[in-house]
Amino acid sequence: MSNPEIIHILLVDDHPLVRDGLRARLETVSNFAVVGEAGSAGEALQHAASLHIDLVLMDINLGGTNGIELTTQLSAAYPDIAVLMLSMHDKAEYVRQAIQAGARGYVLKDAPATDIISAIETVMSGGNYYSAGLSDQLAPASLLTPREKEILQRIATGKSNKHIARDLGLSFRTVETHRLNIKRKLGIEGQADLIRFALEQTI
């Protein structure tokens, strides 16, 4: 049985030298274990199916299927695996696409190694992490997926999870999970604050 304190990491980058550098740096952290490396989407999906992985450190630029498309596939097939983007692109649009695909954070490749370590720890603790300056470019609602926005609109009308589930043809548990994800992404804790935010978005 795996040690629950160890964070099992898969590195996905099409440059072997980058993966070597990341592995060397991450494995200096006692509770990080790099359990696999992939240079393509196909390799990453194979590893996800065969290895115990807690977090994928993902580059956007991959041959064929890019990192954002791969994040969408991983999030759908393996929702318990956290995806953290590590990219040279600092454009807000890339960040939005990555988060909407299911990524829980976005770190720039030129960030200090300590930032990457902090990002992994934050994401694995249930939070979101963005390199300095990136979050300032993003409107909070832009972090939400289309489905989460649908649910937020219904929250603004005061509908319960049960009613939202019926409206959208989803299970109660699925709506509950979406609601928790919305609160996590927006940094909102209380129900009243969530409703207030939802109302502000519809005005």
Side-chain angles (χ1 to χ4, degrees):
M1 186 172 177
S2 60
N3 184 340
E5 296 179 356
I6 299 295
I7 298 173
H8 303 84
I9 300 169
L10 172 65
L11 303 178
V12 182
D13 194 295
D14 60 355
H15 292 93
L17 283 175
V18 173
R19 299 199 305 269
D20 288 347
L22 285 170
R23 176 187 283 272
R25 184 63 186 89
L26 295 178
E27 290 190 336
T28 65
V29 182
S30 61
N31 65 322
F32 288 4
V34 177
V35 296
E37 298 181 20
S40 67
E43 287 181 330
L45 290 169
Q46 287 177 357
H47 286 320
S50 62
L51 300 174
H52 171 68
I53 297 167
D54 299 307
L55 179 137
V56 176
L57 196 57
M58 175 89 71
D59 188 19
I60 287 181
N61 294 329
L62 301 174
T65 301
N66 67 39
I68 292 173
E69 293 167 343
L70 177 55
T71 297
T72 300
Q73 294 175 29
L74 285 172
S75 297
Y78 307 99
D80 291 335
I81 296 178
V83 177
L84 175 63
M85 306 304 293
L86 181 64
S87 174
M88 62 187 291
H89 300 291
D90 62 356
K91 302 292 186 188
E93 186 57 33
Y94 282 106
V95 184
R96 276 194 291 270
Q97 289 176 11
I99 299 303
Q100 289 172 2
R104 300 187 195 176
Y106 196 107
V107 186
L108 296 177
K109 278 190 173 180
D110 60 2
T114 50
D115 284 9
I116 298 173
I117 292 168
S118 295
I120 292 171
E121 292 173 341
T122 298
V123 166
M124 292 310 301
S125 297
N128 296 90
Y129 189 99
Y130 308 101
S131 280
L134 288 180
S135 56
D136 296 338
Q137 301 180 44
L138 299 168
S142 71
L143 301 177
L144 304 180
T145 65
R147 176 64 84 187
E148 288 166 350
K149 288 179 181 177
E150 281 186 309
I151 289 171
L152 189 66
Q153 288 169 355
R154 284 163 174 78
I155 289 172
T157 67
K159 289 191 173 182
S160 67
N161 286 356
K162 181 179 178 181
H163 285 113
I164 294 171
R166 189 174 60 200
D167 285 354
L168 299 178
L170 303 172
S171 71
F172 177 86
R173 183 176 294 276
T174 297
V175 173
E176 197 171 46
T177 299
H178 281 307
R179 187 185 283 254
L180 288 172
N181 285 338
I182 291 168
K183 290 165 73 174
R184 174 178 57 80
K185 287 181 178 181
L186 300 176
I188 291 173
E189 293 185 6
Q191 187 63 21
D193 288 337
L194 178 61
I195 293 171
R196 187 178 304 113
F197 178 86
L199 287 168
E200 288 171 354
Q201 297 306 303
T202 59
I203 293 173

